[in-house]
Coordinates of all heavy atoms in Angstrom, one line a residue:
M643 N 47.8 -2.2 26.4 CA 46.4 -2.2 26.8 C 45.6 -3.0 25.7 O 45.8 -2.6 24.5 CB 45.9 -0.8 26.9 CG 44.4 -0.7 27.3 SD 44.0 0.9 27.6 CE 42.2 0.8 27.4
N644 N 44.8 -4.0 26.0 CA 44.0 -4.7 25.0 C 42.8 -3.9 24.6 O 42.0 -3.4 25.5 CB 43.6 -6.0 25.6 CG 44.8 -7.0 25.7 OD1 45.8 -6.7 25.0 ND2 44.7 -8.1 26.4
E645 N 42.5 -3.8 23.3 CA 41.3 -3.1 22.9 C 40.1 -4.1 22.9 O 40.3 -5.3 22.6 CB 41.5 -2.6 21.5 CG 40.5 -1.7 21.0 CD 40.8 -0.9 19.7 OE1 41.7 -1.3 19.1 OE2 40.0 0.0 19.4
M646 N 39.0 -3.7 23.4 CA 37.8 -4.5 23.5 C 37.1 -4.5 22.1 O 37.0 -3.5 21.4 CB 36.9 -4.0 24.6 CG 37.5 -4.1 25.9 SD 36.4 -3.4 27.2 CE 34.9 -4.2 27.1
F647 N 36.6 -5.7 21.8 CA 35.8 -5.9 20.5 C 34.4 -6.4 20.8 O 34.2 -7.1 21.8 CB 36.5 -6.8 19.6 CG 37.7 -6.2 18.9 CD1 39.0 -6.2 19.5 CD2 37.5 -5.6 17.7 CE1 40.0 -5.7 18.9 CE2 38.6 -5.0 17.0 CZ 39.9 -5.0 17.6
M648 N 33.5 -6.1 20.0 CA 32.1 -6.6 20.1 C 31.9 -7.4 18.8 O 32.1 -6.9 17.7 CB 31.1 -5.4 20.2 CG 29.7 -5.9 20.2 SD 28.6 -4.5 20.3 CE 28.7 -3.7 18.7
T649 N 31.4 -8.6 18.9 CA 31.1 -9.5 17.8 C 29.8 -9.1 17.3 O 28.8 -8.9 18.0 CB 31.1 -11.0 18.2 OG1 32.4 -11.3 18.8 CG2 30.9 -11.8 17.0
S650 N 29.7 -8.9 15.9 CA 28.4 -8.5 15.3 C 28.3 -9.2 13.9 O 29.3 -9.8 13.4 CB 28.4 -7.0 15.1 OG 29.2 -6.6 14.0
P651 N 27.1 -9.2 13.4 CA 26.9 -9.8 12.0 C 27.8 -9.2 10.9 O 28.1 -9.8 9.9 CB 25.4 -9.5 11.7 CG 24.8 -9.4 13.0 CD 25.8 -8.7 13.9
I652 N 28.3 -7.9 11.1 CA 29.1 -7.3 10.1 C 30.6 -7.4 10.5 O 31.4 -6.8 9.9 CB 28.7 -5.8 9.9 CG1 28.9 -5.0 11.2 CG2 27.3 -5.7 9.4 CD1 28.7 -3.5 11.1
G653 N 30.9 -8.3 11.5 CA 32.3 -8.5 11.9 C 32.5 -8.0 13.3 O 31.7 -7.4 14.0
D654 N 33.8 -8.2 13.8 CA 34.1 -7.7 15.1 C 34.3 -6.2 15.0 O 35.0 -5.7 14.1 CB 35.4 -8.3 15.5 CG 35.2 -9.8 15.9 OD1 34.1 -10.2 16.1 OD2 36.2 -10.5 15.9
L655 N 33.7 -5.5 15.9 CA 33.8 -4.0 16.0 C 34.5 -3.6 17.2 O 34.2 -4.1 18.3 CB 32.4 -3.4 16.0 CG 31.5 -3.7 14.7 CD1 30.1 -3.1 14.9 CD2 32.2 -3.0 13.5
P656 N 35.4 -2.7 17.1 CA 36.1 -2.2 18.3 C 35.1 -1.4 19.1 O 34.3 -0.7 18.6 CB 37.3 -1.4 17.8 CG 36.9 -1.0 16.4 CD 36.0 -2.1 15.9
V657 N 35.2 -1.5 20.4 CA 34.3 -0.7 21.3 C 35.0 0.6 21.5 O 35.7 0.9 22.5 CB 34.1 -1.4 22.6 CG1 33.1 -0.6 23.5 CG2 33.5 -2.8 22.4
N658 N 34.8 1.5 20.5 CA 35.4 2.9 20.5 C 34.6 3.6 19.4 O 33.7 3.1 18.8 CB 36.9 2.8 20.2 CG 37.2 2.3 18.8 OD1 36.4 2.2 17.9 ND2 38.5 1.8 18.7
P659 N 34.9 4.9 19.3 CA 34.2 5.7 18.3 C 34.2 5.1 16.9 O 33.2 5.2 16.1 CB 34.9 7.1 18.3 CG 35.4 7.2 19.7 CD 35.8 5.8 20.0
D660 N 35.3 4.6 16.5 CA 35.3 4.0 15.1 C 34.4 2.8 15.0 O 33.7 2.6 13.9 CB 36.8 3.5 14.8 CG 37.7 4.6 14.5 OD1 37.3 5.7 14.2 OD2 38.9 4.4 14.7
G661 N 34.3 1.9 16.0 CA 33.4 0.8 15.9 C 31.9 1.3 16.0 O 31.1 0.7 15.3
M662 N 31.7 2.3 16.8 CA 30.4 2.9 16.8 C 29.9 3.4 15.5 O 28.8 3.3 15.0 CB 30.3 3.9 17.9 CG 28.9 4.4 18.2 SD 28.0 3.1 18.9 CE 27.3 3.9 20.3
R663 N 30.9 4.1 14.8 CA 30.6 4.7 13.5 C 30.2 3.6 12.5 O 29.3 3.8 11.7 CB 31.8 5.6 13.0 CG 31.8 6.1 11.6 CD 30.6 6.9 11.2 NE 30.1 7.9 12.1 CZ 28.8 8.3 12.1 NH1 27.9 7.8 11.3 NH2 28.5 9.2 13.0
K664 N 31.0 2.6 12.5 CA 30.7 1.4 11.6 C 29.3 0.9 11.8 O 28.6 0.5 10.9 CB 31.8 0.4 11.7 CG 33.1 0.7 11.1 CD 34.2 -0.4 11.3 CE 35.5 0.1 10.8 NZ 36.6 -0.9 11.0
A665 N 29.0 0.7 13.1 CA 27.7 0.1 13.5 C 26.6 1.1 13.0 O 25.6 0.6 12.4 CB 27.6 -0.1 15.0
I666 N 26.7 2.4 13.2 CA 25.7 3.4 12.8 C 25.6 3.4 11.3 O 24.5 3.4 10.7 CB 26.0 4.7 13.4 CG1 25.8 4.7 14.9 CG2 25.2 5.8 12.7 CD1 26.3 6.0 15.6
D667 N 26.7 3.3 10.6 CA 26.7 3.3 9.1 C 25.9 2.1 8.6 O 25.1 2.2 7.6 CB 28.1 3.3 8.5 CG 28.8 4.7 8.7 OD1 28.0 5.7 9.0 OD2 30.0 4.8 8.5
E668 N 26.1 0.9 9.2 CA 25.4 -0.3 8.8 C 23.9 -0.2 9.1 O 23.1 -0.6 8.3 CB 26.1 -1.5 9.5 CG 25.5 -2.8 9.2 CD 25.7 -3.2 7.7 OE1 26.4 -2.5 6.9 OE2 25.1 -4.2 7.3
I669 N 23.6 0.3 10.2 CA 22.2 0.5 10.6 C 21.5 1.4 9.5 O 20.4 1.1 9.0 CB 22.0 1.1 12.0 CG1 22.4 0.0 13.0 CG2 20.6 1.6 12.2 CD1 22.5 0.6 14.4
A670 N 22.2 2.5 9.2 CA 21.6 3.4 8.2 C 21.5 2.8 6.8 O 20.4 2.9 6.1 CB 22.5 4.7 8.1
R671 N 22.4 2.0 6.5 CA 22.4 1.2 5.2 C 21.2 0.3 5.2 O 20.5 0.2 4.2 CB 23.7 0.5 5.0 CG 23.8 -0.2 3.6 CD 25.1 -1.0 3.5 NE 25.0 -2.2 4.3 CZ 24.4 -3.4 3.9 NH1 23.8 -3.4 2.7 NH2 24.4 -4.4 4.6
L672 N 21.0 -0.5 6.3 CA 19.9 -1.5 6.3 C 18.6 -0.8 6.4 O 17.6 -1.2 5.7 CB 20.1 -2.4 7.5 CG 21.3 -3.3 7.5 CD1 21.5 -4.0 8.8 CD2 21.2 -4.3 6.4
Q673 N 18.5 0.4 7.1 CA 17.2 1.1 7.1 C 16.9 1.6 5.7 O 15.7 1.6 5.3 CB 17.3 2.3 8.0 CG 17.2 1.9 9.5 CD 17.4 3.1 10.4 OE1 18.0 4.1 10.1 NE2 16.8 3.0 11.6
S674 N 17.9 2.0 4.9 CA 17.6 2.5 3.5 C 17.1 1.3 2.7 O 16.2 1.5 1.9 CB 18.9 3.0 2.9 OG 18.7 3.3 1.6
I675 N 17.7 0.1 2.9 CA 17.2 -1.0 2.1 C 15.7 -1.4 2.4 O 14.9 -1.6 1.5 CB 18.1 -2.2 2.4 CG1 19.5 -2.0 1.7 CG2 17.5 -3.5 1.9 CD1 20.5 -3.1 2.2
V676 N 15.4 -1.3 3.7 CA 14.0 -1.6 4.2 C 13.1 -0.6 3.6 O 12.0 -0.9 3.1 CB 14.0 -1.7 5.7 CG1 12.5 -1.7 6.2 CG2 14.7 -2.9 6.2
Q677 N 13.5 0.7 3.7 CA 12.6 1.8 3.2 C 12.3 1.7 1.7 O 11.2 1.8 1.3 CB 13.2 3.2 3.5 CG 12.4 4.3 3.1 CD 11.0 4.4 3.9 OE1 11.0 3.9 5.0 NE2 10.0 4.9 3.3
N678 N 13.4 1.3 0.9 CA 13.2 1.2 -0.5 C 12.3 0.0 -0.8 O 11.6 0.0 -1.8 CB 14.6 1.0 -1.2 CG 15.3 2.4 -1.2 OD1 14.8 3.4 -1.1 ND2 16.7 2.3 -1.3
A679 N 12.4 -1.1 -0.1 CA 11.6 -2.2 -0.2 C 10.1 -1.9 0.0 O 9.3 -2.4 -0.7 CB 12.1 -3.4 0.6
V680 N 9.9 -1.1 1.0 CA 8.5 -0.7 1.4 C 7.9 0.1 0.3 O 6.8 -0.1 -0.1 CB 8.5 0.0 2.7 CG1 7.1 0.6 3.0 CG2 8.8 -1.0 3.9
I681 N 8.7 1.0 -0.2 CA 8.2 1.9 -1.3 C 8.0 1.2 -2.6 O 7.0 1.4 -3.3 CB 9.2 3.1 -1.5 CG1 9.1 4.0 -0.3 CG2 8.9 3.9 -2.8 CD1 10.2 5.1 -0.3
S682 N 8.9 0.3 -2.9 CA 8.8 -0.4 -4.2 C 7.7 -1.5 -4.3 O 7.3 -1.8 -5.3 CB 10.2 -1.0 -4.6 OG 10.5 -2.0 -3.7
K683 N 7.2 -2.0 -3.2 CA 6.2 -3.0 -3.2 C 4.9 -2.4 -2.6 O 4.8 -2.3 -1.4 CB 6.6 -4.2 -2.4 CG 5.5 -5.3 -2.2 CD 6.1 -6.7 -2.2 CE 5.0 -7.7 -2.0 NZ 3.9 -7.7 -2.9
P684 N 4.0 -2.0 -3.4 CA 2.8 -1.5 -2.9 C 1.9 -2.5 -2.1 O 2.0 -3.7 -2.3 CB 2.0 -1.0 -4.2 CG 2.6 -1.7 -5.3 CD 4.0 -2.1 -4.9
I685 N 1.2 -2.0 -1.2 CA 0.3 -2.8 -0.3 C -0.9 -3.2 -1.2 O -1.4 -2.4 -1.9 CB -0.1 -2.0 0.9 CG1 1.1 -1.6 1.8 CG2 -1.1 -2.8 1.7 CD1 0.7 -0.7 2.9
E686 N -1.2 -4.5 -1.1 CA -2.4 -5.0 -1.8 C -3.6 -5.2 -0.8 O -3.3 -5.6 0.3 CB -2.1 -6.3 -2.5 CG -1.1 -6.1 -3.6 CD -0.8 -7.4 -4.4 OE1 -1.1 -8.5 -3.8 OE2 -0.2 -7.3 -5.4
M687 N -4.8 -5.0 -1.3 CA -5.9 -5.2 -0.5 C -7.0 -5.8 -1.3 O -7.1 -5.6 -2.5 CB -6.4 -3.9 0.1 CG -6.8 -2.8 -0.9 SD -7.0 -1.3 0.0 CE -6.5 -0.1 -1.3
Q688 N -7.8 -6.7 -0.7 CA -8.9 -7.4 -1.4 C -10.1 -6.5 -1.4 O -10.4 -5.7 -0.4 CB -9.2 -8.7 -0.7 CG -8.1 -9.7 -0.7 CD -7.7 -10.0 -2.1 OE1 -8.5 -10.3 -3.0 NE2 -6.4 -10.1 -2.4
S689 N -10.9 -6.5 -2.5 CA -12.1 -5.8 -2.6 C -13.1 -6.6 -3.4 O -12.7 -7.6 -4.1 CB -11.8 -4.4 -3.3 OG -11.7 -4.6 -4.7
P690 N -14.3 -6.2 -3.4 CA -15.3 -6.9 -4.2 C -15.0 -7.0 -5.7 O -15.4 -7.8 -6.5 CB -16.6 -6.2 -4.0 CG -16.5 -5.5 -2.7 CD -15.0 -5.2 -2.6
I691 N -14.2 -6.0 -6.2 CA -13.8 -6.0 -7.6 C -12.4 -6.6 -7.9 O -11.9 -6.6 -9.0 CB -13.9 -4.6 -8.2 CG1 -12.9 -3.7 -7.5 CG2 -15.3 -4.0 -8.2 CD1 -12.7 -2.3 -8.2
G692 N -11.8 -7.3 -6.8 CA -10.6 -7.9 -7.0 C -9.5 -7.3 -6.1 O -9.8 -6.5 -5.3
T693 N -8.3 -7.7 -6.4 CA -7.1 -7.2 -5.6 C -6.7 -5.8 -6.1 O -6.5 -5.6 -7.3 CB -6.0 -8.1 -5.7 OG1 -6.4 -9.4 -5.3 CG2 -4.8 -7.7 -4.8
L694 N -6.7 -4.8 -5.2 CA -6.3 -3.5 -5.6 C -5.0 -3.2 -4.8 O -4.7 -3.6 -3.7 CB -7.3 -2.5 -5.2 CG -8.7 -2.6 -5.8 CD1 -9.6 -1.6 -5.2 CD2 -8.5 -2.3 -7.3
T695 N -4.1 -2.4 -5.4 CA -2.9 -1.9 -4.8 C -3.2 -0.5 -4.2 O -3.9 0.2 -4.8 CB -1.7 -1.9 -5.8 OG1 -2.1 -1.1 -6.9 CG2 -1.3 -3.2 -6.2
A696 N -2.6 -0.3 -3.0 CA -2.7 1.0 -2.4 C -1.7 2.0 -3.0 O -0.8 2.5 -2.3 CB -2.6 0.9 -0.9
D697 N -1.9 2.3 -4.2 CA -1.1 3.3 -4.9 C -2.0 4.0 -5.9 O -3.3 3.8 -6.0 CB 0.1 2.7 -5.6 CG -0.3 1.6 -6.7 OD1 -1.5 1.4 -6.9 OD2 0.6 1.0 -7.3
A698 N -1.5 4.9 -6.8 CA -2.3 5.7 -7.7 C -3.1 4.8 -8.7 O -4.2 5.0 -9.0 CB -1.4 6.6 -8.4
K699 N -2.4 3.7 -9.1 CA -3.1 2.8 -10.1 C -4.3 2.1 -9.4 O -5.4 2.0 -10.0 CB -2.2 1.7 -10.6 CG -2.8 0.9 -11.6 CD -1.7 -0.2 -12.1 CE -2.4 -1.1 -13.2 NZ -1.5 -2.1 -13.6
G700 N -4.1 1.6 -8.2 CA -5.2 1.0 -7.5 C -6.4 1.9 -7.2 O -7.5 1.6 -7.3
L701 N -6.0 3.2 -6.8 CA -7.0 4.2 -6.5 C -7.8 4.5 -7.8 O -9.0 4.6 -7.8 CB -6.3 5.4 -6.0 CG -7.3 6.6 -5.6 CD1 -8.3 6.1 -4.5 CD2 -6.4 7.7 -5.0
R702 N -7.1 4.6 -8.9 CA -7.7 4.9 -10.2 C -8.7 3.8 -10.6 O -9.8 4.0 -11.0 CB -6.7 5.0 -11.3 CG -7.2 5.3 -12.7 CD -7.6 6.8 -12.9 NE -9.0 6.9 -12.8 CZ -9.6 8.1 -12.5 NH1 -8.9 9.2 -12.2 NH2 -10.9 8.2 -12.4
T703 N -8.3 2.5 -10.3 CA -9.2 1.4 -10.6 C -10.5 1.5 -9.8 O -11.5 1.3 -10.2 CB -8.4 0.1 -10.4 OG1 -7.3 0.0 -11.2 CG2 -9.3 -1.1 -10.7
A704 N -10.3 1.8 -8.5 CA -11.4 1.9 -7.6 C -12.3 3.0 -8.0 O -13.6 2.8 -8.0 CB -10.9 2.1 -6.2
I705 N -11.8 4.2 -8.4 CA -12.6 5.3 -8.8 C -13.4 5.0 -10.1 O -14.6 5.3 -10.2 CB -11.7 6.6 -8.9 CG1 -11.2 7.1 -7.6 CG2 -12.5 7.7 -9.7 CD1 -10.2 8.1 -7.6
D706 N -12.7 4.3 -11.0 CA -13.4 3.9 -12.2 C -14.5 3.0 -11.9 O -15.6 3.1 -12.6 CB -12.4 3.3 -13.2 CG -11.4 4.2 -13.8 OD1 -11.6 5.5 -13.7 OD2 -10.4 3.8 -14.4
E707 N -14.3 2.0 -11.1 CA -15.4 1.1 -10.7 C -16.6 1.8 -10.0 O -17.7 1.5 -10.3 CB -14.9 0.0 -9.8 CG -15.9 -1.0 -9.4 CD -16.4 -1.9 -10.6 OE1 -15.9 -1.8 -11.7 OE2 -17.4 -2.6 -10.3
I708 N -16.3 2.8 -9.2 CA -17.3 3.6 -8.6 C -18.1 4.3 -9.6 O -19.4 4.3 -9.6 CB -16.8 4.5 -7.5 CG1 -16.2 3.7 -6.3 CG2 -17.8 5.6 -7.0 CD1 -15.4 4.6 -5.3
A709 N -17.5 4.9 -10.6 CA -18.1 5.6 -11.6 C -19.0 4.7 -12.5 O -20.1 5.1 -12.9 CB -17.1 6.4 -12.5
R710 N -18.5 3.5 -12.8 CA -19.2 2.5 -13.5 C -20.5 2.1 -12.8 O -21.6 2.1 -13.4 CB -18.4 1.3 -13.8 CG -19.0 0.3 -14.8 CD -18.0 -0.8 -15.0 NE -17.9 -1.7 -13.8 CZ -18.9 -2.5 -13.4 NH1 -20.0 -2.6 -14.1 NH2 -18.7 -3.3 -12.4
C711 N -20.4 1.9 -11.5 CA -21.6 1.5 -10.7 C -22.6 2.7 -10.6 O -23.8 2.4 -10.7 CB -21.2 1.1 -9.3 SG -20.2 -0.5 -9.3
H712 N -22.1 3.8 -10.4 CA -22.9 5.0 -10.4 C -23.8 5.2 -11.7 O -25.0 5.4 -11.6 CB -22.1 6.3 -10.1 CG -22.9 7.5 -10.0 ND1 -23.7 7.7 -8.9 CD2 -23.1 8.6 -10.8 CE1 -24.4 8.9 -9.0 NE2 -24.0 9.4 -10.2
A713 N -23.1 4.9 -12.8 CA -23.8 5.1 -14.1 C -24.9 4.0 -14.2 O -26.0 4.2 -14.7 CB -22.8 4.9 -15.3
K714 N -24.6 2.8 -13.7 CA -25.6 1.7 -13.8 C -26.8 2.1 -12.9 O -27.9 1.8 -13.3 CB -25.0 0.4 -13.3 CG -24.2 -0.4 -14.3 CD -23.8 -1.7 -13.7 CE -23.2 -2.6 -14.8 NZ -22.8 -3.9 -14.3
I715 N -26.5 2.6 -11.7 CA -27.6 3.0 -10.9 C -28.5 4.1 -11.5 O -29.7 4.0 -11.4 CB -27.0 3.5 -9.5 CG1 -26.5 2.4 -8.7 CG2 -28.1 4.3 -8.7 CD1 -25.6 2.8 -7.5
E716 N -27.9 5.1 -12.2 CA -28.6 6.1 -12.9 C -29.5 5.5 -14.0 O -30.6 5.9 -14.1 CB -27.7 7.2 -13.4 CG -27.0 8.0 -12.3 CD -28.0 8.7 -11.4 OE1 -29.0 9.3 -11.9 OE2 -27.8 8.6 -10.2
K717 N -28.9 4.6 -14.7 CA -29.7 3.9 -15.8 C -30.9 3.2 -15.1 O -32.0 3.2 -15.7 CB -28.9 2.9 -16.6 CG -28.0 3.6 -17.6 CD -27.1 2.6 -18.3 CE -26.1 3.3 -19.3 NZ -25.3 2.3 -20.0
L718 N -30.7 2.5 -14.1 CA -31.8 1.8 -13.4 C -32.9 2.8 -12.9 O -34.1 2.5 -13.0 CB -31.3 0.9 -12.3 CG -30.5 -0.3 -12.6 CD1 -29.9 -1.0 -11.4 CD2 -31.4 -1.3 -13.3
K719 N -32.5 3.9 -12.4 CA -33.4 4.9 -12.0 C -34.3 5.4 -13.1 O -35.5 5.5 -13.0 CB -32.7 6.1 -11.3 CG -32.2 5.9 -9.9 CD -31.6 7.1 -9.4 CE -30.9 7.0 -8.1 NZ -30.3 8.3 -7.6
L720 N -33.7 5.6 -14.3 CA -34.4 6.0 -15.5 C -35.4 5.0 -15.9 O -36.6 5.3 -16.2 CB -33.5 6.4 -16.6 CG -32.6 7.6 -16.5 CD1 -31.6 7.8 -17.6 CD2 -33.5 8.9 -16.4
R721 N -35.0 3.7 -15.9 CA -35.9 2.6 -16.2 C -37.1 2.6 -15.3 O -38.3 2.4 -15.6 CB -35.2 1.3 -16.2 CG -34.4 1.1 -17.4 CD -33.9 -0.4 -17.4 NE -33.1 -0.7 -18.5 CZ -32.3 -1.8 -18.6 NH1 -32.3 -2.6 -17.6 NH2 -31.7 -2.0 -19.7
L722 N -36.8 2.7 -14.0 CA -37.9 2.6 -13.0 C -38.8 3.8 -13.1 O -40.1 3.6 -12.9 CB -37.3 2.6 -11.5 CG -36.5 1.4 -11.1 CD1 -35.9 1.6 -9.8 CD2 -37.5 0.2 -11.0
N723 N -38.4 4.9 -13.5 CA -39.3 6.1 -13.7 C -40.2 5.9 -14.9 O -41.2 6.5 -15.0 CB -38.5 7.4 -13.9 CG -37.9 7.8 -12.6 OD1 -38.3 7.5 -11.5 ND2 -36.8 8.6 -12.6
K724 N -39.8 5.0 -15.9 CA -40.6 4.8 -17.0 C -41.7 3.7 -16.8 O -42.6 3.6 -17.7 CB -39.7 4.4 -18.2 CG -38.8 5.5 -18.7 CD -38.0 5.1 -19.9 CE -37.1 6.2 -20.3 NZ -36.2 5.8 -21.4
I725 N -41.6 2.9 -15.8 CA -42.5 1.9 -15.5 C -43.8 2.6 -15.1 O -43.8 3.3 -14.1 CB -42.0 0.9 -14.5 CG1 -40.8 0.2 -15.0 CG2 -43.1 -0.1 -14.1 CD1 -40.1 -0.7 -14.0
P726 N -45.0 2.3 -15.8 CA -46.2 2.9 -15.3 C -46.6 2.3 -14.0 O -46.4 1.2 -13.7 CB -47.2 2.6 -16.4 CG -46.6 1.4 -17.1 CD -45.1 1.5 -16.9
M727 N -47.2 3.2 -13.2 CA -47.8 2.7 -11.9 C -48.9 1.8 -12.1 O -49.8 2.0 -13.0 CB -48.2 3.9 -11.1 CG -47.1 4.8 -10.7 SD -45.8 4.0 -9.8 CE -46.6 3.9 -8.2
L728 N -48.9 0.7 -11.5 CA -50.0 -0.3 -11.6 C -51.2 0.2 -10.7 O -51.0 0.4 -9.6 CB -49.6 -1.7 -11.2 CG -48.5 -2.3 -12.1 CD1 -48.0 -3.6 -11.5 CD2 -48.9 -2.5 -13.5
S729 N -52.4 0.3 -11.3 CA -53.5 0.6 -10.5 C -54.3 -0.6 -10.1 O -54.4 -1.5 -10.9 CB -54.4 1.6 -11.2 OG -54.8 1.0 -12.5
S730 N -54.8 -0.6 -9.0 CA -55.6 -1.8 -8.6 C -57.1 -1.6 -9.0 O -57.7 -0.7 -8.5 CB -55.5 -2.0 -7.1 OG -55.9 -0.8 -6.4
N731 N -57.6 -2.4 -9.9 CA -59.0 -2.3 -10.3 C -59.8 -3.5 -9.7 O -60.7 -3.9 -10.3 CB -59.0 -2.5 -11.8 CG -58.4 -1.2 -12.5 OD1 -58.4 -0.2 -11.9 ND2 -57.9 -1.4 -13.7
T732 N -59.4 -3.8 -8.6 CA -60.2 -4.9 -7.9 C -61.2 -4.4 -6.9 O -61.2 -3.4 -6.4 CB -59.3 -5.9 -7.3 OG1 -58.5 -5.3 -6.3 CG2 -58.5 -6.7 -8.3

């Protein structure tokens, strides 16, 4: 009896449980490579303050920028409160 084979990128696989096991092992190996690549390369996004990564470092940068802007706004509020109101004497 001739055994059937299936041609694949990883070689000819027998159409039986052994061939199926080899195919499943290769799929698992490739999924692991893809998953590790996704984890190791953070997603980048554009923002008004530049390119940020969607990871802890990018989040810290965004939070620091928000705090810096908030401090500037508070300083401007204090300055505005010190400006005397102009009265109209006309």
Side-chain angles (χ1 to χ4, degrees):
M643 178 177 163
N644 288 344
E645 191 169 13
M646 294 175 57
F647 284 88
M648 175 179 73
T649 303
S650 77
I652 61 171
D654 291 341
L655 298 173
V657 181
N658 62 23
D660 289 335
M662 188 65 131
R663 171 54 43 207
K664 287 179 185 177
I666 290 170
D667 289 346
E668 182 65 5
I669 290 168
R671 185 183 74 79
L672 294 172
Q673 284 177 332
S674 175
I675 289 170
V676 169
Q677 183 64 28
N678 288 337
V680 168
I681 289 171
S682 65
K683 175 149 178 50
I685 297 169
E686 293 182 346
M687 57 190 151
Q688 295 300 317
S689 77
I691 61 170
T693 302
L694 297 174
T695 53
D697 59 4
K699 183 179 177 184
L701 183 58
R702 178 82 257 157
T703 301
I705 290 170
D706 289 347
E707 181 65 9
I708 290 168
R710 189 180 68 74
C711 290
H712 183 70
K714 279 186 173 183
I715 290 169
E716 291 303 313
K717 283 182 183 178
L718 287 173
K719 283 182 184 178
L720 288 174
R721 280 186 180 170
L722 288 174
N723 287 336
K724 291 179 181 179
I725 296 174
M727 297 299 286
L728 298 175
S729 59
S730 59
N731 292 333
T732 57

